[in-house]
Amino acid sequence: MATAAATSSQTQSAAPALPLQRGIVKLVLSGSAIIVRGQPRGGPPPERQINLSNIRSGALARRVAPNQPEAKETPDEPWAWPAREFLRKKLIGKEVCFTVEYKTPQGREYGMVYLGKDTTGENIAESLLTEGLVAVRREGIRGANPEQTRLCELEDQAKAAKKGMWGEGGGSHTIRDLKYTIENPRHFVDSNHQKPVNAVIEHVRDGSVVRALLLPDYYLVTVMLSGVKCPTFKREADGAETPEPFAAEAKFFTESRLLQRDVQIILESVQNQVILGTILHPNGNITELLLREGFARCVDWSIAVYTQGPEKLRAGERSAKERKIRIWKDYVAPTANMDQKDKHFVAKVMQIMNADAMVVKLNSGEQKTIHLSSIRPPRLEGEVNQDRRKLRPLYDIPYMFEAREFLRKKLIGKKVNVTVDYIRQATPSTNVTPAFPERTCSTVTIGGINIAEALVSKGLATVIRYRQDDDQRSSHYDELLAAEARAIKNAKGLHSKKEVPIHRVADISGVGDIVQSQL
């Protein structure tokens, strides 16, 4: 933390002037203690706790630690919360200057804090006393001096005016009814769905997981940002935490923008008692900012609940990838080595091979086999009693015939737009899986319709799930997931509970070539 040279400010005591130091207020611990940080230089900055000299504030509620089952939760002391809130609203994110008057043998530092760059700014202890939110700590004062006399005068004035804690009633109305758990999180989220809830971010665990105090009912909940994941801190067997690359930077990015800020949270879903949501601040949407700055990646399992539009998240991630910043510094696009003319082209559909593959004819006359990205055609599940050598996939696999017919009627002989999403490399056979040749996986559209999406929406194909770090997928992957969700909801095709259609086909030997030529 930057330390300024000793100032020549005149004090009314005979003691030499104390060095004046500066920083940004990161956190307000109570009505008499704050955390001050320095300026970031190549990483999260150093920080220190400063306790206000000669004043006492009430203690805030404390939750029982999991390893102390015999202990009891302690509630707020009267006026502790208003004092904390007074400082939070005044100081969070602001520049302050301070002097350290003394340090205890345990290392706790006590001093005076001023709002702004020098001691002409607002004296924070004096402001608290003026509002009747704290009391003067009279015991242990090391000799009277003009500053301490001033604090006592301000306290006496607050008493005379019956302000804050000096008023009537004892302050029981200032004690929060804190709730550390929600009995039915799913119902709670559903009852608030799409309605922004006012909140204060109390803790940042990592860039995409925070602890929030929901207002006005004082629910203290863990919120995970919908649709994204930041690098995390992995706990080792000895209890130590090891940060993944850019975990500390991502945490600071979120902390410096949201910690103890007034925000609104859109509660979107629940996963294992953790609430998924989107945090909105007047300066922007932290989810989209994290992606754009390369501090987070999209995650498929929760992006579907993001109510602000998943395309915005994918666009932010794509921007960071293109700029190769932070977690994407070594990123290589799936089609990085392809010429633009090979990535996007128009072709004529010559043959439908099955529910996810077709042969197209390029303008050059060359014929090329392409596969639809990120979808899986109908297949037999579980044990197959039938001799596989006699299996006729087109007719014996449920909905394979309907899928192939849909493509044939829609595409055969037509010109389509092809966007190559990735090249799936050839894989050798194993004891479990057969060999696969190299595949060109593409998004195919005709008349503005994404053919893979149309297949999936009719229940004639399913969407492949990927590892989080697998970037070889359809450029319209979210639309495919949404189409599959609709097909499941409407019990279409493969998701239907009805009996599967049966196709009785006569085996007319000798005319196979004629049938093939008509397809």
Side-chain angles (χ1 to χ4, degrees):
M1 183 177 303
T3 302
T7 66
S8 58
S9 306
Q10 296 297 315
T11 64
Q12 297 180 36
S13 69
L18 296 169
L20 190 63
Q21 304 179 68
R22 298 185 179 88
I24 304 295
V25 178
K26 168 189 171 178
L27 186 67
V28 174
L29 298 172
S30 69
S32 58
I34 61 176
I35 299 291
V36 181
R37 66 167 175 82
Q39 295 292 346
R41 291 184 175 86
E47 55 189 53
R48 63 202 285 191
Q49 179 176 331
I50 304 297
N51 303 279
L52 298 176
S53 296
N54 303 324
I55 66 170
R56 180 194 298 112
S57 65
L60 291 165
R62 186 177 293 274
R63 190 181 185 185
V64 177
N67 58 355
Q68 297 177 326
E70 301 303 318
K72 291 185 177 180
E73 293 176 354
T74 57
D76 292 334
E77 291 183 354
W79 293 98
W81 177 246
R84 204 285 311 247
E85 283 296 88
F86 178 83
L87 283 195
R88 180 183 71 84
K89 292 176 180 178
K90 185 178 288 290
L91 296 183
I92 282 295
K94 301 287 182 61
E95 183 176 12
V96 296
C97 63
F98 59 93
T99 57
V100 176
E101 298 179 346
Y102 64 94
K103 182 185 290 190
T104 68
Q106 295 76 30
R108 297 190 72 180
E109 296 182 305
Y110 289 81
M112 302 296 285
V113 177
Y114 303 87
L115 186 58
K117 297 180 181 296
D118 55 47
T119 56
T120 62
E122 181 180 347
N123 183 311
I124 299 305
E126 291 183 0
S127 297
L128 284 161
L129 285 165
T130 299
E131 296 299 323
L133 298 173
V134 296
V136 174
R137 187 188 295 274
R138 297 175 186 269
E139 71 277 6
I141 294 180
R142 305 179 181 183
N145 63 40
E147 284 86 357
Q148 292 156 351
T149 301
R150 168 72 174 158
L151 297 183
C152 291
E153 289 175 352
L154 291 172
E155 182 183 71
D156 291 339
Q157 292 171 15
K159 287 180 179 179
K162 296 185 177 181
K163 297 187 73 172
M165 66 173 60
W166 311 116
E168 298 176 356
S172 60
H173 65 286
T174 67
I175 299 173
R176 295 170 295 167
D177 177 20
L178 266 175
K179 305 171 186 72
Y180 297 106
T181 58
I182 297 175
E183 187 173 333
N184 188 334
R186 172 65 61 184
H187 174 74
F188 182 80
V189 168
D190 289 344
S191 64
N192 288 282
H193 195 63
Q194 300 287 0
K195 295 184 294 186
V197 177
N198 292 326
V200 177
I201 303 303
E202 294 293 336
H203 173 69
V204 175
R205 192 177 82 187
D206 59 50
S208 54
V209 180
V210 303
R211 194 81 167 146
L213 184 66
L214 305 184
L215 303 174
D217 296 320
Y218 300 117
Y219 283 101
L220 194 59
V221 300
T222 298
V223 177
M224 181 180 295
L225 295 178
S226 300
V228 299
K229 188 177 188 300
C230 290
T232 60
F233 298 81
K234 295 192 173 180
R235 188 174 294 277
E236 306 296 339
D238 60 0
E241 288 190 336
T242 303
E244 294 178 340
F246 296 100
E249 292 86 345
K251 179 181 178 181
F252 177 70
F253 186 87
T254 298
E255 240 178 20
S256 61
R257 288 159 176 78
L258 294 188
L259 185 58
Q260 287 199 334
R261 273 21 180 237
D262 292 303
V263 300
Q264 288 191 314
I265 304 178
I266 300 175
L267 309 179
E268 292 164 327
S269 187
V270 175
Q271 180 77 15
N272 298 329
Q273 302 299 305
V274 175
I275 291 175
L276 294 170
T278 297
I279 301 175
L280 304 176
H281 182 271
N283 291 339
N285 179 331
I286 193 67
T287 309
E288 294 171 13
L289 287 173
L290 285 164
L291 285 168
R292 203 155 52 236
E293 294 302 319
F295 285 120
R297 66 174 72 241
C298 292
V299 290
D300 301 328
W301 68 268
S302 69
I303 200 169
V305 305
Y306 182 72
T307 54
Q308 308 296 295
E311 65 279 356
K312 294 180 181 177
L313 302 190
R314 298 290 185 189
E317 183 184 72
R318 189 162 53 249
S319 171
K321 287 176 177 178
E322 290 169 352
R323 290 176 287 140
K324 295 190 175 185
I325 58 175
R326 301 189 175 96
I327 67 173
W328 304 113
K329 61 186 178 68
D330 299 319
Y331 175 74
V332 178
T335 56
N337 298 322
M338 293 183 67
D339 290 336
Q340 196 65 24
K341 64 180 178 62
D342 296 324
K343 288 184 187 179
H344 307 279
F345 54 87
V346 175
K348 184 178 180 180
V349 178
M350 305 302 293
Q351 181 184 351
I352 304 299
M353 299 179 67
N354 60 33
D356 74 335
M358 64 191 76
V359 176
V360 297
K361 184 177 181 180
L362 309 182
N363 289 335
S364 63
E366 175 192 356
Q367 294 200 0
K368 184 179 183 70
T369 299
I370 60 174
H371 287 74
L372 297 177
S373 300
S374 299
I375 69 168
R376 182 178 286 119
R379 60 180 180 175
L380 291 174
E381 301 291 346
E383 294 294 325
V384 180
N385 296 324
Q386 188 175 356
D387 186 345
R388 283 191 176 273
R389 288 172 299 177
K390 296 180 180 179
L391 182 69
R392 301 167 303 168
L394 184 61
Y395 306 110
D396 295 333
I397 296 179
Y399 294 101
M400 178 68 88
F401 180 81
E402 285 76 10
R404 209 263 326 241
E405 279 297 280
F406 174 81
L407 293 183
R408 185 180 68 83
K409 292 177 180 178
K410 197 84 174 174
L411 301 180
I412 204 73
K414 305 281 182 63
K415 286 195 172 182
V416 294
N417 294 293
V418 180
T419 298
V420 177
D421 294 318
Y422 56 95
I423 305 294
R424 182 68 75 188
Q425 298 301 319
T427 57
S429 63
T430 68
N431 293 333
V432 180
T433 59
F436 277 100
E438 181 181 275
R439 291 185 173 189
T440 299
C441 299
S442 311
T443 295
V444 175
T445 62
I446 183 170
I449 297 172
N450 181 339
I451 292 302
E453 184 181 349
L455 262 178
V456 171
S457 68
K458 292 180 177 295
L460 300 178
T462 55
V463 181
I464 298 171
R465 266 47 178 189
Y466 296 96
R467 297 189 319 271
Q468 182 178 305
D469 60 349
D470 190 348
D471 201 45
Q472 293 197 327
R473 61 180 66 188
S474 168
S475 51
H476 295 269
Y477 189 70
D478 294 316
E479 289 94 320
L480 297 182
L481 290 176
E484 185 174 62
R486 292 194 302 271
I488 293 172
K489 181 179 179 181
N490 297 321
K492 293 286 190 71
L494 293 163
H495 313 291
S496 173
K497 299 291 190 290
K498 299 177 182 178
E499 284 194 24
V500 299
I502 297 175
H503 302 284
R504 304 188 186 281
V505 180
D507 184 7
I508 307 176
S509 301
V511 297
D513 293 338
I514 299 174
V515 174
Q516 176 65 29
S517 68
Q518 293 176 345
L519 295 179

